[in-house]
Amino acid sequence: MSERRPDLSVIRDEIRAIQAYAVPDSTGLIKLDAMENPFALPAEVARELGERLGQVLLNRYPPAEPRAFKDKLARAIGLPAGMRLLLGNGSDELIHLTIQACARPGATVLSPWPSFEMYDLSSRFDGCRFVAVPLAADFSLDRERLLAAIAEHRPAVTFISWPNNPTGNLFDRSTVEAVLAAAPGLVVLDEAYLPFAQDTWLPQLAHWPNLLVLRTFSKLGLAGIRLGYLCGDAAWIGEINKVRPPYNVNVLTLAAADFLLDRLPLLDGQAAVLRAERARLLERLCALVGVTAFDSAANFILFRVGGGSDGADRVFAQLKSRGILVKNRTHVHPLLQGCLRVTVGTPAENDAFIAALAASL
Ligand SMILES: *Cc1c(COP(=O)(O)O)cnc(C)c1O
């Protein structure tokens, strides 16, 4: 009998070639790597939520169409008339579903780059070609290069992160409008950081028939429940809905989100604290000799240390040895050489980070 060893040759080559999305172990560390809101719910609210969740019927499948919840969400965000919502298991799933619905053999997905890794990964999973168009050196959109790439590659879907992860900046609006005008397919504006950017394309849905706006509850403080939503013309949403697994958003997530939609001022208040902390953190980063920090409209700040990639690797390791976990972005793209990304935490966490960084340079 032959040795029992799985023959992996049926797994697609491009899947075998990549590493699984890495989530590092953060046990015992101050976690400033994943853009989470550092504030928990107040105890009284958490208790009420627990009671609400206790009433949810776990023996039943989720509703086919959570109409009341979607109407409430549409009202809360001011969804323009004639537009519809699609709910996803995080916006990650909606990125995947959008690509999947458009993934004809040979189809292309395009994005300015560096940007959110899932655009690239999801494209490859769905057998699409992914075209990464480099940003300018100051992380702005390279307008001519972007429009030339759209003309050449005719992307089925173009993703624009607004503001961009990991650079933190909002792009020039008129350049995005030029992309909307030139793109032959869908243009998805990913507004994951809306609570910190306070700048949206949602009202523009009425003007651009190929625009979709993607949002998530994750960065607002609910990363653990996994809920994102895609906004757009009913015709687009109807098509993308066809590739959605029927029960993709679970009943506990729906109940928790419904409960918290009634308490948005609480979450908005936390976001306001983080916006103020972002300004303070940026100022303190800029005051450190040997650090270049970039302005951000999100709840994270990208900064560059001296010594290129070696310098970034060294500072990352030293921060970790001092109990702080950030994200090392130096190996992701030449434009990010020497760069680390830190999530804005609580005032105490940010102070601890700055002290650790000052000692690590
Ligand atoms: C964090 C992030 C998301 C992720 O969202 P989930 O809703 O948690 O899946 C989407 N887009 C960008 C640009 C992000 O940074």
Side-chain angles (χ1 to χ4, degrees), residues 21-265:
Y21 188 88
V23 178
D25 180 19
S26 58
T27 313
L29 300 174
I30 294 180
K31 197 170 181 309
L32 300 177
D33 66 325
M35 282 78 92
E36 291 147 321
N37 174 340
F39 302 113
L41 292 174
E44 176 60 20
V45 178
R47 195 189 52 74
E48 264 184 74
L49 173 61
E51 267 170 32
R52 180 79 68 91
L53 295 182
Q55 293 159 13
V56 174
L57 297 178
L58 301 183
N59 55 321
R60 299 294 177 195
Y61 282 106
E65 174 71 2
R67 187 41 51 216
F69 173 76
K70 280 177 146 185
D71 288 348
K72 191 182 202 172
L73 178 57
R75 273 196 307 278
I77 65 170
L79 188 71
M83 301 300 150
R84 272 179 54 196
L85 297 172
L86 187 65
L87 303 181
N89 191 327
S91 44
D92 281 357
E93 184 184 44
L94 294 165
I95 291 167
H96 164 66
L97 296 179
T98 302
I99 295 171
Q100 198 180 36
C102 300
R104 279 205 182 87
T108 294
V109 176
L110 182 145
S111 176
W113 212 251
S115 189
F116 189 45
E117 277 174 279
M118 293 310 295
Y119 307 150
D120 179 5
L121 279 179
S122 275
S123 303
R124 289 200 254 171
F125 294 162
D126 287 322
C128 290
R129 207 161 53 94
F130 182 74
V131 173
V133 184
L135 295 172
D138 64 356
F139 304 144
S140 64
L141 292 177
D142 184 335
R143 183 184 175 113
E144 273 171 31
R145 199 164 181 175
L146 189 54
L147 294 177
I150 288 170
E152 180 186 349
H153 298 290
R154 311 293 297 160
V157 188
T158 298
F159 286 97
I160 297 180
S161 176
W162 184 269
N164 191 43
N165 174 9
T167 55
N169 54 314
L170 289 170
F171 296 125
D172 173 50
R173 265 194 116 81
S174 72
T175 304
V176 175
E177 283 167 354
V179 168
L180 280 159
L186 279 168
V187 178
V188 179
L189 267 286
D190 183 344
E191 299 187 342
Y193 299 97
L194 177 74
F196 312 103
Q198 300 182 290
D199 189 305
T200 179
W201 285 81
L202 199 69
Q204 309 306 316
L205 283 174
H207 298 292
W208 299 99
N210 56 341
L211 170 64
L212 296 178
V213 173
L214 179 62
R215 291 185 178 175
T216 177
F217 283 77
S218 292
K219 310 295 159 45
L220 187 59
L222 303 170
I225 72 172
R226 311 302 301 132
L227 185 63
Y229 54 99
L230 185 65
C231 317
D233 189 279
W236 287 119
I237 297 297
E239 294 303 322
I240 300 170
N241 184 48
K242 293 176 187 173
V243 295
R244 178 182 64 85
Y247 308 117
N248 64 327
V249 178
N250 75 75
V251 288
L252 293 173
T253 291
L254 284 172
D258 187 77
F259 174 86
L260 288 160
L261 270 185
D262 294 330
R263 290 158 184 81
L264 279 183

